[in-house]
């Protein structure tokens, strides 16, 4: 606990320094470039809890990260990032390595690049996964939870293995392909609850044969962006002694379609994610569930101000979109199986390093709330949340 | 009846002559270190270079990119007239590379004077300046028409 307060002091100190100096640049030491980011949020919700005791007003959500990029030669690079993050019961404020990999460049020229990365690599997943912890790169304080669930962020952001990439300029655009074979990370407090419905005595272990691939097309330097992500993530369940469950496998197949259009003043972003999950083994008949999730966000910017409006829709099971069967079978509330979140918010970029954000969520449903945070079951179907944050990056 | 040319007409003529020169001098040009090999640049290539995707020159040497601050008016002109994009989009492209470990950010300089100095002193450097300020210490890379 003491460690957490020290880190929080550091976050505040850093944010204050960002407010004091007009601009901060990357720190360059020889061929190594160092960047960092920090954010501190305040959350106030009525009824359900999110990222801490938000029903009483909470400062429990903060992020602090430092990364280094070392260009040893035009062919060889190393990159790594350490993150400290607290988000109520769904994250614990401990330091962890987000990514750490070596990259070998096969070729890099006017019209194409290609290379391979080995180590803990970032999962190529939609538009926002790669930099999901850097508040300044997110479209809002809270990522649209339908697609970017924060309960499983470690699982989502990176994996340990090998990744190849190819970039090619085509006509007035750029085509990029990334694919990886890597072992997923399974140390999220809420992962067992998400996968198995409860905290279990056994453990989930990611398997090496998991893969993920993404095809991205940027037209006219990002005026239009399209991406298609697909993969198969395999996770083993190893039961403990006296466990009620037997050994089993959780297979997760995400299919994600992303589209963005940007103009000088306005932009629109939409992503659609189908989660296909299969549980086999465990001592019960195989279960397969598909859930369709999407969000649509419109942005408008005037000078240093950015405003947005978003609709974000989460469905756990397409065959039971309103959770009625679930409620009848498991005697748990139907509204924990879906969520509809209307969000309006804004950002003020004080300078290129420092931003203030605020947003208001109006939610029906509790599908993306942490069960651990809410003592097993979120109590309220309709709830609202105010989020405010100050964030810094250099 | 012969009348002398009205003053307003003279002024209009004067300005219409001066205007093209004035706008040419205040337009933004891409500059490079004088020792850089001759490279042909079009908009697509410049986007790859300033977007920090293409990291090496055809010779194999590492590209050194210099830019002004996001809110500098010359940066905005450069983004809009040369790259045909917006400063916020460039920032987004750089941040997404930097914070996912796949690239470095360009070096930010505080003024056009510093831009001139740094590009003229740094091997394999590329940057941009108001045309009138691009002195003999740097070379101007004229954009190829596509």
């Amino acid at each position: 606990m003491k460690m957490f307060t020290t880190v929080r002091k550091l976050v505040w100190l850093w944010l204050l320094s960002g407010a004091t100096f007009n601009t901060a640049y990357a720190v360059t030491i020889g061929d190594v470039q160092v960047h960092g980011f920090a954010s501190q949020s305040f959350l106030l919700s009525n009824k359900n809890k999110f990222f801490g005791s938000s029903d009483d007003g909470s400062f429990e959500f903060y992020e602090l990260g430092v990364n280094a990029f070392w260009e040893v030669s035009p062919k060889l690079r190393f990159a790594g990032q350490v993150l400290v993050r607290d988000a109520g019961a769904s994250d614990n404020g401990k330091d962890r390595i987000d990514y750490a990999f070596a990259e070998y460049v096969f070729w890099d020229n006017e019209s194409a690049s290609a290379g391979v990365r080995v180590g803990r690599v970032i999962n190529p997943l939609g538009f926002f996964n790669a930099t999901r912890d850097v508040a300044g790169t997110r479209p809002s304080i809270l990522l649209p939870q339908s697609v970017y669930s924060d309960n499983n962020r470690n699982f989502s952001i990176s994996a340990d293995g090998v990744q190849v990439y190819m970039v090619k300029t085509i006509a007035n655009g750029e085509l990029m392909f990334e694919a990886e074979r890597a072992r997923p990370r399974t140390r999220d407090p809420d992962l067992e609850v998400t996968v198995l419905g409860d905290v279990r005595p056994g453990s989930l272990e990611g398997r090496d044969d998991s893969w993920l691939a993404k095809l991205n097309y940027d037209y006219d330097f990002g005026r239009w962006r399209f991406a298609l992500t697909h993969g198969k993530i395999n996770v083993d369940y190893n039961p403990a002694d006296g466990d009620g469950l037997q050994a089993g496998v959780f297979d997760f197949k995400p299919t994600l379609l992303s589209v963005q259009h940007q103009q000088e003043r306005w932009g629109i972003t939409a992503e659609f994610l189908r989660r296909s999950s299969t549980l086999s083994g465990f001592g019960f008949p195989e279960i397969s569930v598909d859930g369709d999730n999407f969000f649509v966000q419109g942005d408008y910017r005037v000078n240093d101000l950015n405003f947005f409006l978003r609709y974000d829709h989460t469905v756990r099971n397409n065959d039971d979109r309103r959770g009625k069967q679930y409620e009848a079978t498991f005697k748990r509330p139907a509204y924990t199986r879906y969520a509809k979140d209307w969000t309006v918010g804004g950002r003020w970029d004080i300078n290129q390093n420092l931003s203030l954000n605020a947003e208001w969520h109006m939610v029906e449903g509790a599908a993306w709330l942490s069960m651990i945070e809410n003592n097993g079951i979120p109590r309220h179907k309709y709830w609202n949340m105010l989020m405010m944050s100050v964030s810094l990056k250099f | 009846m012969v009348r002398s040319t009205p003053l307003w007409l003279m002024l209009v003529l004067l300005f219409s002559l001066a205007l093209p020169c004035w706008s040419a001098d205040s337009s933004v040009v891409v500059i490079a270190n004088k020792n850089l090999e001759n490279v042909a640049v079009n908009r697509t290539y410049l986007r790859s270079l300033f977007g920090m995707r293409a990291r090496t020159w055809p010779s194999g040497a590492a590209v050194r990119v210099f830019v002004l601050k996001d809110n500098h008016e010359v940066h905005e002109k450069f983004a809009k007239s040369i790259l045909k994009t917006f400063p916020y989009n460039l920032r987004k492209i750089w941040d997404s590379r930097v914070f996912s470990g796949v690239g470095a950010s360009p070096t930010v300089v505080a003024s056009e004077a510093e831009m001139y100095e740094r590009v003229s002193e740094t091997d394999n450097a590329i940057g941009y300046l108001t045309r009138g300020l691009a002195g003999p210490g740097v070379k101007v890379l004229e954009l190829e028409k596509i």
Side-chain angles (χ1 to χ4, degrees):
Chain A
M1 205 59 210
K2 191 158 183 291
M3 150 97 184
F4 298 171
T5 55
T6 314
V7 170
R8 182 163 295 131
K9 270 181 204 152
L10 205 65
V11 173
W12 278 106
L13 211 66
W14 202 4
L15 291 170
L16 280 172
S17 75
T20 320
F21 300 112
N22 188 21
T23 40
Y25 303 138
V27 179
T28 307
I29 311 150
D31 297 323
V32 182
Q33 206 177 65
V34 177
H35 289 268
F37 57 91
S39 77
Q40 172 68 60
S41 300
F42 172 73
L43 277 70
L44 181 63
S45 64
N46 69 342
K47 304 168 183 174
N48 298 326
K49 292 177 190 212
F50 187 69
F51 284 178
S53 302
S54 54
D55 46 348
D56 297 326
S58 157
F59 285 96
E60 266 196 74
F61 180 35
Y62 67 75
E63 296 148 308
L64 176 72
V66 178
N67 71 52
F69 179 75
W70 179 23
E71 260 177 319
V72 183
S73 77
K75 287 276 177 200
L76 184 64
R77 305 162 182 168
F78 291 96
Q81 177 165 300
V82 177
L83 175 81
V84 179
R85 179 181 184 270
D86 196 3
S90 70
D91 210 336
N92 54 15
K94 275 197 184 138
D95 55 303
R96 77 211 69 175
I97 291 168
D98 261 2
Y99 58 83
F101 57 82
E103 176 173 332
Y104 182 76
V105 181
F106 296 137
W107 62 81
D108 173 72
N109 57 43
E110 179 180 343
S111 60
S113 311
V116 60
R117 303 179 182 122
V118 181
R120 175 162 290 177
V121 294
I122 291 193
N123 291 328
L125 191 69
F127 286 154
F128 300 107
N129 184 58
T131 58
R132 62 182 299 151
D133 295 312
V134 190
T137 70
R138 293 197 290 256
S140 48
I141 301 171
L142 185 65
L143 280 168
Q145 295 293 298
S146 62
V147 174
Y148 302 98
S149 167
D150 273 305
N151 286 336
N152 314 311
R153 74 151 298 278
N154 294 330
F155 178 68
S156 177
I157 191 167
S158 53
D160 302 327
V162 182
Q163 184 178 74
V164 290
Y165 70 90
M166 266 175 280
V167 187
K168 177 99 185 79
T169 55
I170 290 173
N172 189 22
E174 196 176 86
L175 191 68
M176 176 160 77
F177 178 70
E178 292 168 279
E180 73 184 28
R181 196 176 164 91
R183 176 200 295 261
R185 297 164 63 192
T186 50
R187 297 288 170 265
D188 281 295
D190 265 288
L191 190 63
E192 278 185 20
V193 182
T194 309
V195 174
L196 301 167
D198 218 337
V199 179
R200 305 295 314 187
S203 65
L204 292 168
E205 296 295 337
R207 265 179 23 197
D208 288 331
D209 58 354
S210 304
W211 64 270
L212 205 55
K214 176 177 148 187
L215 189 65
N216 188 94
Y217 183 64
D218 272 17
Y219 176 75
D220 201 12
F221 213 34
R223 193 177 298 271
W224 283 96
R225 295 171 72 201
F226 305 92
L228 177 66
T229 310
H230 184 66
K232 186 165 181 287
I233 315 296
N234 307 310
V235 177
D236 285 333
Y237 179 72
N238 302 320
D241 291 339
D243 200 328
L245 290 178
Q246 296 171 20
V249 183
F250 166 58
D251 276 339
F252 174 58
K253 279 185 281 186
T255 307
L256 176 54
L257 198 64
S258 317
V259 183
Q260 185 172 65
H261 180 58
Q262 300 185 115
Q263 292 286 348
E264 180 168 17
R265 291 225 181 267
W266 61 272
I268 186 159
T269 308
E271 295 194 278
F272 167 86
L273 168 67
R274 170 165 291 179
R275 288 191 177 91
S276 298
S277 314
T278 304
L279 292 172
S280 44
F282 299 99
F284 52 72
E286 187 174 289
I287 305 172
S288 283
V289 174
D290 284 357
D292 287 351
N293 307 271
F294 74 93
F295 73 89
V296 180
Q297 173 167 336
D299 284 278
Y300 187 80
R301 66 179 66 70
V302 212
N303 301 324
D304 307 330
L305 297 174
N306 190 88
F307 302 96
F308 75 90
L309 174 67
R310 180 170 71 210
Y311 178 66
D312 182 52
H313 196 142
T314 305
V315 168
R316 287 274 175 257
N317 183 354
N318 289 345
D319 296 332
D320 184 25
R321 299 178 68 83
R322 303 287 295 180
K324 297 242 157 59
Q325 291 170 35
Y326 178 83
E327 183 168 285
T329 314
F330 296 100
K331 308 287 176 250
R332 289 187 192 179
Y335 61 78
T336 59
R337 301 295 286 168
Y338 68 91
K340 301 172 180 183
D341 178 3
W342 279 97
T343 308
V344 16
R347 188 180 78 230
W348 175 31
D349 292 324
I350 297 168
N351 56 48
Q352 70 187 49
N353 304 110
L354 190 66
S355 306
L356 293 180
N357 291 55
E359 63 199 42
W360 178 254
H361 293 258
M362 288 152 282
V363 195
E364 177 195 339
W368 45 261
L369 285 175
S370 162
M371 298 295 152
I372 297 173
E373 191 89 77
N374 288 278
N375 300 319
I377 295 171
R379 296 285 159 203
H380 304 276
K381 180 175 173 180
Y382 296 94
W383 57 288
N384 300 316
M385 177 166 64
L386 170 73
M387 299 181 87
M388 292 190 284
S389 83
V390 47
S391 59
L392 176 75
K393 62 181 162 63
F394 72 87
Chain B
M1 193 167 109
V2 180
R3 285 177 55 180
S4 60
T5 318
L7 181 64
W8 66 267
L9 191 59
M10 284 171 67
L11 283 173
V12 166
L13 282 168
L14 194 70
F15 274 102
S16 64
L17 284 173
L19 203 62
C21 307
W22 174 80
S23 68
D25 266 359
S26 73
S27 67
V28 176
V29 288
V30 178
I31 56 164
N33 183 268
K34 282 196 92 167
N35 299 326
L36 183 74
E37 59 192 306
N38 285 322
V39 284
V41 289
N42 57 26
R43 178 165 301 120
T44 309
Y45 193 16
L46 286 179
R47 283 174 165 181
S48 294
L49 290 166
F50 282 96
M52 305 296 281
R53 197 274 304 157
R55 298 296 302 130
T56 49
W57 292 111
S59 68
V63 182
R64 302 284 171 214
V65 181
F66 291 87
V67 295
L68 291 159
K69 284 185 204 169
D70 288 9
N71 58 3
H72 196 290
E73 62 170 329
V74 175
H75 178 71
E76 194 174 328
K77 257 191 204 171
F78 163 73
K80 285 184 176 177
S81 69
I82 309 261
L83 297 182
K84 301 280 184 211
T85 187
F86 313 107
Y88 82 86
N89 187 42
L90 279 170
R91 173 55 52 197
K92 217 162 96 168
I93 289 166
W94 297 330
D95 281 350
S96 71
R97 298 188 72 83
V98 160
F99 293 108
S100 62
V102 304
S105 62
T107 305
V108 181
V109 293
S111 65
E112 288 195 273
E114 193 188 343
M115 174 72 85
Y116 180 78
E117 200 181 302
R118 296 290 292 275
V119 172
S120 59
E121 284 171 356
T122 312
D123 283 342
N124 302 302
I126 186 171
Y128 52 84
L129 271 183
T130 300
R131 186 180 285 271
L133 298 175
V138 294
K139 70 171 162 190
V140 172
L141 300 182
E142 295 295 349
L143 198 61
E144 274 189 353
K145 296 281 171 278
I146 322 165

